[in-house]
Amino acid sequence: MYFKVQMMQNVHLAPETDEDDLYSGYNDYNPTYDTEELENDIAFQEAVRTSHGRRPPITAKIPSTAVTRPVATGYGSKTSLASSMGRPMTGAIQDGVTRPMTAVRAAGFTKAAVRGSAFDPLGQSRGPAPPLEAKNEDSPEEKIRQLEKKVNELVEESCIANSCGDLKLALEKAKDAGRKERILVRQREQVTTPENINLDLTYSVLFNLASQYSANEMYAEALNTYQVIVKNKMFSNAGRLKVNMGNIYLKQRNYSKAIKFYRMALDQIPSVHKEMRIKIMQNIGVTFIKTGQYSDAINSFEHIMSLAPNLKAGFNLILSYFAVGDRDKMKKAFQKLIAVPLEIDEDDKYISPSDDPHTNLVIEAIKNDHLRQMERERKAMAEKYIMTAAKLIAPVIETSFAVGYDWCVEVVKASQYVELANDLEINKAITYLRQKDFNQAVETLKMFEKKDSRVKSAAATNLSFLYYLENEFAQASSYADLAVNSDRYNPSALTNKGNTVFANGDYEKAAEFYKEALRNDSSCTEALYNIGLTYKRLNRLDEALDCFLKLHAILRNSAQVLYQIANVYELMEDPNQAIEWLMQLISVVPTDSRALSKLGELYDSEGDKSQAFQYYYESYRYFPSNIEVIEWLGAYYIDTQFCEKAIQYFERASLIQPSQVKWQLMVASCFRRSGNYQKALDTYKDIHRKFPENVECLRFLVRLCTDIGLKEVQEYATKLKRLEKMKEIREQRVRSGRDSGGGSRSRREGSAGSDASYVDPLGPQIERPKTAARKRIDEDDFADEELGDDLLPE
């Protein structure tokens, strides 16, 4: 009953007048909570200093319907007051320990206030925090930690060096990481139990070392390192590294072991890793192709195409069917290859649908980002596989390659690669060209004249090329114009147009077309080579040299470019540089007889006969039909008084040019100089039978017969006199005719000379002056003639 009365005393009923005002009393201000002027309140400061904050209990302004609890009479009171439910009040003291007032703990109050302490809610009187405890670097744990950090850094540096292409440095870093990791393991075993060894670090160090061994083609060491990883049962998922071991055996052409390790890895990889299993099966199929086991390869690739079709597996399947000659399966495999999804976005995604600047900015940003580049590469790879497969199977799947190409074109037109159909048609025309069927090639290419601009430009470019090869420059120029008008940015079309203009002798205009081709495609080596030839024709040798040197930086081992650089230096009268570049040329093509003879010519002009003889002789060995080389070698042996060695060269020259009497006369002269007069006489008689009107031969016969004392001397002398009289009469007639019509004749000769000087515009041309060797031969012949005249009988 008492409890009930007590409860009723604590119940306060809300007044009826406030029934409608639910928020009455909340805006009332209690001056007790005004803490802004506490520092200036003298009574408050005095109370704080004397009574440590004792204050009378605070009565709530707003009455509550809850059961009231006794409130502590002051902060830090020694009387323990409890609520009606027996729960200690916040801030009350129990057993001598003051329970903190959690409601005001953040304001800076402590659980046990010290008498006389100043008001310090931010705890500024405590001073700065003590310094951190210094690490003991000499402790074993710290040494192990630092060594582990160093091993990780070495592994990272090894990987970075490998990615930068410095394989030697990568291997050195990997070896150093392996040595330090072994030291780390030994230190851990001394300090802690073996269970605390970092297995992940050991695995990464060994795996990186094996990879670097493999990258440096140290396959035995790589296999040994992989074996250490695979045989250690503590490494989880180490069995999949047998794929890497299979790759090494494949590089070593140990195909049986490669297949064995691929299959072992395939057995240890769970089926949830579908992509990894597909790649391993693809490696198995490629290995079967290399071993010639095409049926097993077909099974592997067919399994892949049924599970997860991809471009490489489809192309390899076509190759396998091509190897076994199965036409129907080749067609089905080609259709499967065409049906492989590319999984890339359409090009329309990168075209702005509106004029919104924000949208245009986003599209411009993603138009050439890494994802877009990857999509382009994937599409280019797909087109390459399809085009290669079509060119491979077209000649064999039908009775003729044309019918096969038509079937491939129809299949491609019905797929997502519609634009490749035109490229296949152009390849069909190129196949006609390879088979020397120019008419069919031209007919096929002319079908594209009404197609879209890109295909029309490609077809017109090829037609221009064909007509240029046939020296039909008007048709070539016409189709070159069509190609350029269809696609002004086609470098091949611009190059062909420049060629046709070059053929007409307009070198300045040709240079402009070549420059435009280079502006559209700076890697167009044909335009760069041709503009170098153009500058050479215009005698702008410095610019020509600059073009060829740029081209040499792109095509390091191009024999044509090296020859042109040497030729330009020769025209610039710098024989030393010309010789140096020709030496580079013969290091690329050591059997080029023309380069060797050119080297001999340069050394001869420099006066180095021994080096000249060496290169002329090498040129003769590789091409023994060059008259200029044969003539120089013969003259060289005559100058060095080895006439009997010169005979074989002049005999070969007489075989090459049997209508030229001078080579046979040189053979007879060599016999005479070497003292073999009988052989010389027989040779002169043979020459007289073949060339009875040759005056020089008769003079030598008269001289030899006189020296030897033969009876035929009078007969040859009579023939010689008759021929000399006929020669005088002929010369008089020529002189009289020249006096009467010399002007018109000189004009005709000048015209003929200009026609004879025409050369092909795109070939490397060198005007070879008459060599010193040939000049010496002619002077030697005339000396013999004068000597013969003195010995003629009266």
Side-chain angles (χ1 to χ4, degrees):
M1 183 65 182
Y2 173 75
F3 178 76
K4 185 176 181 181
V5 173
Q6 187 71 23
M7 290 284 290
M8 291 299 294
Q9 289 177 356
N10 293 323
V11 174
H12 300 277
L13 299 176
E16 294 181 1
T17 57
D18 297 333
E19 200 171 274
D20 295 332
D21 189 3
L22 297 177
Y23 302 101
S24 62
Y26 286 98
N27 292 327
D28 295 340
Y29 176 72
N30 191 342
T32 306
Y33 301 113
D34 188 3
T35 59
E36 294 181 0
E37 299 296 329
L38 287 179
E39 293 182 0
N40 301 325
D41 191 342
I42 300 173
F44 177 76
Q45 295 295 335
E46 183 66 24
V48 168
R49 283 196 299 272
T50 57
S51 62
H52 296 283
R54 286 198 200 95
R55 57 188 182 279
I58 299 173
T59 305
K61 174 75 176 175
I62 302 172
S64 173
T65 57
V67 179
T68 59
R69 300 175 182 175
V71 182
T73 57
Y75 183 71
S77 174
K78 296 183 183 298
T79 306
S80 177
L81 300 177
S83 67
S84 60
M85 300 299 293
R87 181 178 178 272
M89 285 297 297
T90 302
I93 301 175
Q94 293 181 343
D95 300 329
V97 180
T98 306
R99 187 172 182 270
M101 295 179 67
T102 56
V104 291
R105 179 62 180 257
F109 293 99
T110 60
K111 69 178 182 178
V114 182
R115 185 178 296 274
S117 63
F119 182 72
D120 188 15
L122 300 179
Q124 297 177 359
S125 62
R126 291 195 295 268
L132 296 174
E133 184 179 355
K135 291 183 180 179
N136 187 6
E137 296 183 358
D138 294 333
S139 64
E141 291 81 3
E142 184 63 27
K143 288 182 178 179
I144 289 173
R145 195 178 299 111
Q146 292 298 326
L147 189 56
E148 186 173 339
K149 182 180 178 182
K150 181 63 177 176
V151 171
N152 280 313
E153 289 176 355
L154 286 171
V155 172
E156 289 179 7
E157 290 172 4
S158 174
C159 296
I160 292 171
N162 182 284
S163 64
C164 295
D166 194 348
L167 303 180
K168 222 172 239 186
L169 178 62
L171 180 58
E172 290 300 322
K173 295 285 185 183
K175 288 180 178 179
D176 196 12
R179 287 190 292 268
K180 292 192 182 315
E181 194 273 335
R182 287 192 291 274
I183 297 172
L184 175 63
V185 170
R186 286 196 293 270
Q187 291 186 2
R188 279 189 183 278
E189 289 175 349
Q190 294 173 1
V191 175
T192 61
T193 58
E195 289 79 9
N196 293 329
I197 295 175
N198 192 346
L199 289 176
D200 291 338
L201 181 61
T202 305
Y203 180 87
S204 62
V205 168
L206 290 174
F207 181 43
N208 179 58
L209 181 60
S211 300
Q212 302 308 333
Y213 275 135
S214 179
N216 284 272
E217 297 183 358
M218 301 171 66
Y219 297 130
E221 292 83 353
L223 288 171
N224 292 335
T225 310
Y226 278 128
Q227 285 286 3
V228 172
I229 302 175
V230 171
K231 289 182 178 180
N232 195 334
K233 301 299 182 184
M234 299 178 70
F235 295 139
S236 59
N237 298 323
R240 66 180 60 191
L241 292 182
K242 291 180 179 177
V243 176
N244 292 15
M245 299 175 73
N247 291 340
I248 292 175
Y249 282 121
L250 185 64
K251 290 176 183 177
Q252 292 179 331
R253 299 188 178 182
N254 192 345
Y255 300 126
S256 59
K257 277 199 172 183
I259 293 171
K260 174 185 174 182
F261 275 88
Y262 285 144
R263 285 177 170 168
M264 290 168 64
L266 193 63
D267 293 338
Q268 295 187 10
I269 293 177
S271 57
V272 293
H273 299 291
K274 182 179 177 182
E275 187 175 353
M276 175 66 75
R277 291 178 63 86
I278 291 295
K279 289 182 178 179
I280 295 174
M281 284 190 283
Q282 192 158 310
N283 284 6
I284 293 173
V286 170
T287 311
F288 277 132
I289 289 179
K290 289 183 177 292
T291 58
Q293 301 175 16
Y294 299 113
S295 58
D296 294 329
I298 288 169
N299 293 333
S300 297
F301 292 127
E302 281 185 342
H303 184 63
I304 295 171
M305 294 300 288
S306 63
L307 291 178
N310 63 77
L311 294 168
K312 289 184 179 179
F315 182 72
N316 288 334
L317 183 60
I318 293 174
L319 289 180
S320 302
Y321 282 132
F322 178 81
V324 298
D326 194 333
R327 294 184 177 183
D328 295 332
K329 292 290 181 66
M330 273 188 272
K331 289 183 177 181
K332 292 179 181 178
F334 185 75
Q335 290 171 337
K336 287 181 181 178
L337 178 64
I338 290 285
V340 172
L342 276 180
E343 298 178 354
I344 62 175
D345 293 327
E346 297 294 332
D347 291 338
D348 296 340
K349 174 184 175 181
Y350 301 98
I351 300 175
S352 178
S354 63
D355 295 333
D356 183 14
H358 182 265
T359 305
N360 293 338
L361 189 62
V362 171
I363 291 175
E364 191 67 28
I366 67 173
K367 190 178 290 184
N368 199 32
D369 60 355
H370 291 296
L371 180 60
R372 179 60 175 159
Q373 291 174 7
M374 186 188 73
E375 290 177 348
R376 285 201 196 101
E377 289 173 1
R378 183 179 294 179
K379 186 175 181 181
M381 183 180 68
E383 292 177 353
K384 176 185 175 183
Y385 282 142
I386 292 169
M387 292 292 292
T388 307
K391 288 189 285 186
L392 180 69
I393 68 173
V396 297
I397 57 175
E398 298 292 348
T399 54
S400 68
F401 86 93
V403 179
Y405 262 108
D406 292 339
W407 181 88
C408 292
V409 168
E410 293 302 322
V411 173
V412 169
K413 283 182 178 179
S415 69
Q416 56 184 328
Y417 305 99
V418 182
E419 64 274 8
L420 289 183
N422 293 324
D423 295 336
L424 281 174
E425 290 280 4
I426 291 178
N427 276 326
K428 179 181 174 182
I430 294 173
T431 308
Y432 278 126
L433 284 179
R434 291 196 180 113
Q435 296 182 353
K436 309 298 183 185
D437 193 347
F438 295 102
N439 294 329
Q440 284 290 339
V442 170
E443 291 298 322
T444 305
L445 291 171
K446 284 183 177 179
M447 294 167 53
F448 294 97
E449 292 184 6
K450 297 182 180 179
K451 295 286 182 75
D452 59 43
S453 60
R454 184 185 68 85
V455 180
K456 185 194 298 184
S457 177
T461 301
N462 289 336
L463 284 169
S464 173
F465 169 73
L466 285 175
Y467 284 120
Y468 184 86
L469 291 180
E470 295 178 352
N471 292 330
E472 297 182 18
F473 299 124
Q475 287 280 15
S477 180
S478 173
Y479 279 103
D481 289 333
L482 178 62
V484 171
N485 294 333
S486 301
D487 184 3
R488 187 71 190 183
Y489 300 100
N490 185 350
S492 300
L494 291 166
T495 302
N496 279 359
K497 180 60 181 175
N499 292 348
T500 58
V501 174
F502 190 105
N504 293 326
D506 193 348
Y507 302 129
E508 294 287 354
K509 192 173 181 181
E512 292 300 321
F513 280 110
Y514 296 142
K515 287 179 183 177
E516 187 175 355
L518 287 171
R519 283 195 294 269
N520 293 335
D521 182 6
S522 59
S523 63
C524 183
T525 55
E526 295 84 1
L528 189 56
Y529 183 85
N530 289 353
I531 198 172
L533 292 179
T534 306
Y535 286 143
K536 209 167 75 168
R537 287 296 180 88
L538 293 170
N539 203 28
R540 291 154 63 176
L541 299 179
D542 290 330
E543 295 176 65
L545 182 62
D546 185 51
C547 291
F548 290 128
L549 288 174
K550 287 180 182 177
L551 195 57
H552 175 64
I554 302 171
L555 307 173
R556 301 296 300 180
N557 294 322
S558 173
Q560 291 180 338
V561 176
L562 292 170
Y563 184 83
Q564 290 297 334
I565 294 173
N567 181 228
V568 172
Y569 274 121
E570 184 188 3
L571 295 175
M572 295 171 71
E573 298 181 355
D574 190 349
N576 293 326
Q577 282 290 334
I579 289 172
E580 182 179 339
W581 284 96
L582 283 173
M583 293 295 289
Q584 293 188 40
L585 173 61
I586 63 172
S587 68
V588 176
V589 280
T591 60
D592 191 321
S593 63
R594 188 168 182 181
L596 291 166
S597 65
K598 190 65 188 175
L599 265 173
E601 181 182 333
L602 289 173
Y603 276 117
D604 187 25
S605 64
E606 290 292 300
D608 192 343
K609 299 294 182 183
S610 60
Q611 285 286 354
F613 170 75
Q614 177 186 345
Y615 288 109
Y616 270 124
Y617 183 74
E618 287 295 314
S619 175
Y620 175 77
R621 277 201 320 119
Y622 291 117
F623 184 61
S625 300
N626 190 331
I627 290 295
E628 294 180 358
V629 174
I630 292 171
E631 184 177 3
W632 192 93
L633 288 171
Y636 174 80
Y637 280 119
I638 290 175
D639 289 344
T640 55
Q641 305 299 321
F642 291 102
C643 299
E644 61 276 3
K645 288 188 176 182
I647 292 172
Q648 60 173 331
Y649 295 103
F650 294 127
E651 285 179 344
R652 179 171 289 276
S654 66
L655 291 174
I656 296 170
Q657 295 180 344
S659 61
Q660 292 288 333
V661 68
K662 80 170 187 175
W663 305 121
Q664 300 181 42
L665 289 173
M666 290 305 302
V667 172
S669 177
C670 289
F671 281 126
R672 181 174 53 81
R673 286 168 179 262
S674 60
N676 194 344
Y677 297 110
Q678 186 60 45
K679 190 70 176 175
L681 181 62
D682 295 339
T683 305
Y684 280 125
K685 287 181 178 179
D686 186 51
I687 295 170
H688 179 64
R689 283 194 298 271
K690 294 178 181 177
F691 304 95
E693 295 184 358
N694 187 271
V695 177
E696 289 82 0
C697 180
L698 283 172
R699 286 175 181 170
F700 290 126
L701 280 172
V702 170
R703 176 183 175 183
L704 282 174
C705 290
T706 303
D707 291 342
I708 299 173
L710 297 177
K711 296 179 180 179
E712 294 96 336
V713 63
Q714 193 63 37
E715 177 186 353
Y716 292 131
T718 305
K719 290 181 179 180
L720 180 60
K721 284 185 178 180
R722 186 172 62 252
L723 285 175
E724 286 180 341
K725 287 181 181 178
M726 292 174 61
K727 184 178 179 180
E728 288 177 3
I729 294 171
R730 193 181 300 117
E731 287 176 354
Q732 289 176 359
R733 289 176 181 174
V734 169
R735 280 197 296 270
S736 62
R738 186 180 300 162
D739 293 338
S740 60
S744 61
R745 183 173 180 177
S746 63
R747 284 195 298 271
R748 287 197 301 272
E749 287 176 353
S751 175
S754 64
D755 290 340
S757 64
Y758 177 77
V759 292
D760 182 72
L762 295 183
Q765 300 295 328
I766 298 174
E767 294 182 3
R768 299 178 181 274
K770 193 173 184 181
T771 62
R774 182 182 296 177
K775 187 175 181 181
R776 286 196 299 272
I777 292 173
D778 294 341
E779 290 173 353
D780 185 70
D781 290 339
F782 287 126
D784 283 344
E785 286 178 7
E786 293 170 358
L787 185 61
D789 288 340
D790 292 339
L791 294 175
L792 282 177
E794 295 181 0

